[in-house]
Structures are given as structure tokens and as C-alpha cells.
Amino acid sequence: MAYSIQQSESLFKRAQLSIPGGVNSPVRAFKSVGGNPIFMKSAKGADMYDADGNQYIDYISSWGPMILGHGYKDVVEAIQQKVGEAISFGAPSEMEIMMAELIVSMAPNVDLIRMVSSGTEACMSAIRLARGYTGKNKIIKFDGCYHGHADAFLVKAGSGLATFNIQAVPGVTGGVASDTLVAPYNDYEAVEKLVNENDGQIAAIIIEPVAGNMGCILPKPGFLESLRKLCTEKKIVFVFDEVMTGFRLAAGGAQQVLGIDADLVTYGKVIGGGMPVGAFGGKKEIMQHIAPLGNVYQAGTLSGNPVAMTAGFTTLSILKNNPNIYKELEQKTTQLNEGLHKTLTAKGIAHTINQKGSMISVHFGAHAVTSFETAAKCEISLFNKFFHHMLSSGIYLPPSAYESWFLNNALSSSDIEKTIEAVSKF
Ligand code: KE4
């Protein structure tokens, strides 16, 4: 598609005069795939429209939140009505109770839940709570998993850090980093070794139950079950970071789909329906240590903001009351998976496709992708070429080989056929 991106180019030049790198989040900068970011102007259904009027079929869905599609009528109308009543109080309101009660009714193992404004805040707070509850300091995370940009997590993290190959982040002190231990994803023996070497010091193991920040990577059979057993035996808080998987894989998220009980769960993305919302929750035994009930301090000016709660509550209510949406999303993702596989195979391009529900990623290489190491061994430069081919064909993929694609339910079968058609021209 010969198309002009002149407006985006000039907006990017202007943005760099007042915003670091011209973007408010590094992964949007196209740094790894090359070229300059496209500036969007509007979105409707499964489509986004850029500043030059080009139309794109959207496979990011705002990195997950827009699961129902852009401009979903009921969500827009609920937000419009709420802002007519109030934008923010800084005092409790019934909307927060309704949101908490809805989440407790959807998510397994959540007796109490605290709202925050991002996935980072949710994960950061959950780790502080685990440390306060256990009196222990160290945490174990997994190479390639990303839990937001709090200091404790910026050790061998995924998403933008993998994209930019940032191994150690300036500003994260040695003291903080020394309390974060890292194991390869899907390597239970490595975790057991770390736990034994640091016996009695591990407060939490935090994991993406289905990883989405090194592309989509599934837990091997038995991996999460073994971690669950180890955490129970060693009194380690098992934290499921469901910022991506929560309310996306199912109403009950990965806990429901994989049948594994977490001690604490963190949420983001879908929970806000596109507005800034995160949350962390779990059993009362642990959550009651959070201020003002307990002494683990955690706070936020806009936590539980009524407009954001309205967007999230409306989105989650639609998902809870229409479970067939998850079946439709999975079917569409499978149609995409099968079409991609058939087309790339016919072109003789070695690839691996990982999919769980409506999370999917394509990795160029002949080997299985089950960890960050195997993800990094793929043909990243070929992915970058693929990204730009698809972009110029009107298909907007996540601008990094280390990201999961996110389908929204406004995608039609013909959108997916158009996507496969574009792949056939690669
Ligand atoms: P936020 O602070 O960006 O809302 O959430 C952090 C986070 C926590 N946990 C998981 C599993 C996540 O995927 C994220 C954020 N995901 C990235 C995309 N891989 C957000 C995109 C961005 O950084 O702009």
C-alpha cells in the first residue's frame, strides 16, 4: 500500500522537542523494528486511523485493554454519563465497591482487592505486601517476564528491556537488584536451586502465568504446579502477574484456565477498559496487611477514580455476562494462527507460533520458543522486516519481536483473511 506518513513524521519531529524520545512509553518508539512511530488520531471497532488518514487493522488493542474493540458503545456511553456526574473525588464512592465486588465475583482466590492506576503499581505493591507479610526480602522473577518498571523488576526483564537489550538499568541500585533473583522461564530446577541457596529469604515468586513480554510463551505442563507446591512448602507468596492474562484468557484469567491457585494476583490493561487502572488482590489473610488495615503502606491519588472504574466495570460486566466472547476471541486467534502457519510454510519461512486464547506471537526460527533464551535466538531482523511489510499493508502489529499480539473481539473473519493475504505478499 503506497501510503504517506508525512503527518506522523512531522508530529514525531515535534514530539521530540518536548517528550523524551517523542513517546510516553519506550516500546511505542519503533526503536527495535526501525523507522519512526505512527501517530494515531482515532479508532473504531478493530481499526485505528493515523494522522495521515491511513487505516490499520489493530493487533495491539492498546497492549491488551481494548478487548471489546475501540469505541465500544456501552463503554463510551457509561464513561460519558459518569463524567457528567463527576471526574474525581479523592473520597470513596460506590463505583469502587461495585468494581471490587465484580472482580471478587470473577477472579478465583480474591477476597480483597485494592485498585491502583497501572500494572506497575499493582505488581510493585504486591511484592511490597509479600515482603511485609512474610518478613523476607528476596523475590524470584523469570528472565524475559516484565512486571512493569518498578526497580525490583528491572532485572532481566522482558518487553521494552528485551527489545532494547537493556540488561542492567542505570538508576536501579545494587542493593535493590541483589534482592531480585532470576530464573529461566519453564526451568523448575533453576528455581528450586535458588530457593535452596536462599533458604528462608524468599518472600515471593512472581510470574506471568502465560508470558507475553518475550512474545507469547506458554508454561510447560507441570511447571506452574511445581512452583505452587514449592511456594506452599517454603511459605513463599506465589504471585500471578495477570496484567496481561487477567480477564483476557477467561473471566477468571489464568488461574481459571490453568487451574492453579495464586496467593496474590495483579491486574491491569483489560481491567480499566482503556482507562488507567491496575489492581492487586488475594486472600484476606495476606491482603489485611495493607494499610489502613495493616502496616504495609500503599496509596494513590487517583486509585479507584470513578470514571476509570466506570470504564472498567462496564468492560468487565460485558465480559462476565457474555462468556461466548472468549470463545469467539479464541476462534479468531486460531483462524489467524492457522492462516499464518499455512502461508509462512508455503513461503518456506521457518517459524513458530505460540498461542493461548487470544494471545499469540510469531517467532521466525525453526526451534520451539519456550523461554527468553529461545525467543532471543529467533531471526529478530526478519521480524522487523515483517513488521514493516504488515504496517505498510495496513496491519498494525506490536512493534517488537518480544511482544504478544492482542486480538480484540471487533476483529472480523474478513479482517483476519486480509491479514493473511498481506502475509502471503511478504
Ligand atoms: P503498566 O504499568 O504498563 O500498566 O503494566 C506493567 C505490566 C505488568 N505486567 C505485565 C505482564 C505487563 O505486560 C505489563 C505492561 N505490558 C507492556 C507491554 N508488554 C506495556 C506496554 C508499554 O510498556 O508501553
Side-chain angles (χ1 to χ4, degrees), residues 24-28 62-63 117-123 145-149 158-160 208 210 212-213 241-245 266 268-269 277-278 402-404 406:
N24 281 311
S25 197
V27 279
R28 302 177 193 167
S62 176
W63 301 95
S117 298
S118 71
T120 294
E121 263 194 281
C123 294
C145 282
Y146 178 70
H147 306 293
H149 64 89
S159 186
E208 292 179 53
V210 174
N213 285 291
D241 175 353
E242 292 222 44
V243 168
M244 268 199 196
T245 55
T266 63
K269 297 181 191 282
V277 180
Y402 297 107
E403 294 289 353
S404 180
F406 298 97

Side-chain angles (χ1 to χ4, degrees), residues 175-196:
V176 168
S178 65
D179 277 338
T180 299
L181 308 173
V182 184
Y185 199 81
N186 276 321
D187 183 343
Y188 173 72
E189 287 64 38
V191 179
E192 200 174 36
K193 185 166 177 291
L194 284 175
V195 170
N196 292 334

Side-chain angles (χ1 to χ4, degrees), residues 8 17 22 70 84 99 104 112 126 176 216 249 253 269 273 318:
S8 276
L17 300 176
H70 294 283
M99 179 70 159
V104 167
L112 298 174
V176 168
C216 176
L249 294 183
K269 297 181 191 282
I318 291 163

Side-chain angles (χ1 to χ4, degrees), residues 368-388:
V369 176
T370 57
S371 64
F372 178 69
E373 192 193 356
T374 47
K377 279 195 186 130
C378 294
E379 297 271 331
I380 306 302
S381 53
L382 186 56
F383 175 86
N384 297 343
K385 280 202 198 90
F386 178 69
F387 171 82
H388 281 287

Side-chain angles (χ1 to χ4, degrees), residues 109-227:
N109 301 306
V110 173
D111 300 330
L112 298 174
I113 187 145
R114 167 62 58 85
M115 307 312 297
V116 294
S117 298
S118 71
T120 294
E121 263 194 281
C123 294
M124 175 180 87
S125 309
I127 290 304
R128 183 182 308 138
L129 172 57
R131 286 171 161 154
Y133 171 67
T134 61
K136 300 186 274 185
N137 294 340
K138 292 186 186 298
I139 64 167
I140 294 175
K141 74 173 287 290
F142 293 86
D143 194 0
C145 282
Y146 178 70
H147 306 293
H149 64 89
D151 285 3
F153 302 131
L154 295 182
V155 180
K156 291 193 176 180
S159 186
L161 290 101
T163 299
F164 303 141
N165 190 23
I166 301 173
Q167 292 310 311
V169 175
V172 176
T173 65
V176 168
S178 65
D179 277 338
T180 299
L181 308 173
V182 184
Y185 199 81
N186 276 321
D187 183 343
Y188 173 72
E189 287 64 38
V191 179
E192 200 174 36
K193 185 166 177 291
L194 284 175
V195 170
N196 292 334
E197 287 167 355
N198 298 273
D199 198 19
Q201 300 177 60
I202 312 280
I205 293 177
I206 184 167
I207 191 164
E208 292 179 53
V210 174
N213 285 291
M214 30 185 168
C216 176
I217 292 186
L218 280 62
K220 283 181 180 165
F223 176 56
L224 294 176
E225 293 81 351
S226 304
L227 290 178

